Amino acid sequence: MRAMRFYENIHGVYFDDLDAFQILHNARYVVLMERTIGSFWKHLGASGILDFERTPDMSHLVRANHIEYDRPVTGVGDVRVRIWVEKLGTTSLTFGFRVLPVDEDVDYAHGTRVLVRVDPVTRQPVPWTDRLREKIAPYRRDLAASSA
């Protein structure tokens, strides 16, 4: 069985991230996931000003976010956000994610984000490039499961 890799970032939770109950506001979880995915793209070599000639796979749109809140993040501190590729289709890519404490593997929240690669001019779906498929292969759960 091929092992699947994941990508992880640590993020600070600050006072202005908290709601009236002093827990991480529900909308902030999506922001933390977004920042981790942005860091993942940078890790793969797509950073700086968008240049669709150089990095055509960066022309994508969010199709859906799904999140389940398992237990609250209380007060200020740090959290980890772990991402991986749940599934890669012809034009869609589904990230899985978990929001975790820094010192244990018990979810605060978990979910998915679906992206669709689009033509930068027409905004119509187009296939992901072979280059992207190769770069994200180690992070794909669907490949790890199929090789079991």
Side-chain angles (χ1 to χ4, degrees):
M1 179 164 133
R2 184 182 71 76
M4 179 197 75
R5 293 174 60 186
F6 59 83
Y7 184 81
E8 199 169 81
N9 270 34
I10 295 178
H11 300 279
V13 174
Y14 303 98
F15 179 76
D16 61 348
D17 295 319
L18 305 177
D19 66 13
F21 298 105
Q22 299 302 297
I23 63 173
L24 184 61
H25 188 279
N26 65 80
R28 302 303 290 172
Y29 291 80
V30 177
V31 171
L32 296 174
M33 177 259 301
E34 174 87 29
R35 289 178 180 162
T36 304
I37 291 173
S39 179
F40 177 70
W41 290 131
K42 183 177 179 183
H43 171 73
L44 294 182
S47 62
I49 296 173
L50 284 178
D51 177 356
F52 298 132
E53 294 294 321
R54 188 178 65 79
T55 54
D57 293 299
M58 292 301 94
S59 180
H60 57 258
L61 301 173
V62 175
R63 171 78 168 117
N65 288 316
H66 174 80
I67 185 165
E68 293 192 29
Y69 303 96
D70 300 307
R71 62 187 182 124
V73 175
T74 57
V76 298
D78 291 328
V79 295
R80 293 181 294 150
V81 178
R82 176 179 296 175
I83 65 166
W84 61 92
V85 176
E86 210 38 65
K87 180 182 173 194
L88 179 63
T90 303
T91 62
S92 66
L93 183 157
T94 303
F95 280 106
F97 73 92
R98 297 172 67 191
V99 179
L100 305 148
V102 276
D103 59 350
E104 61 181 342
D105 284 337
V106 180
D107 294 352
Y108 286 128
H110 66 278
T112 58
R113 166 173 278 188
V114 179
L115 301 177
V116 176
R117 177 154 183 253
V118 296
D119 179 278
V121 175
T122 67
R123 302 281 198 280
Q124 293 300 304
V126 294
W128 296 99
T129 65
D130 290 339
R131 183 171 178 228
L132 176 101
R133 290 175 182 285
E134 183 180 310
K135 282 187 167 192
I136 67 169
Y139 302 94
R140 288 181 59 185
R141 180 182 297 239
D142 58 340
L143 288 181
S146 67
S147 67

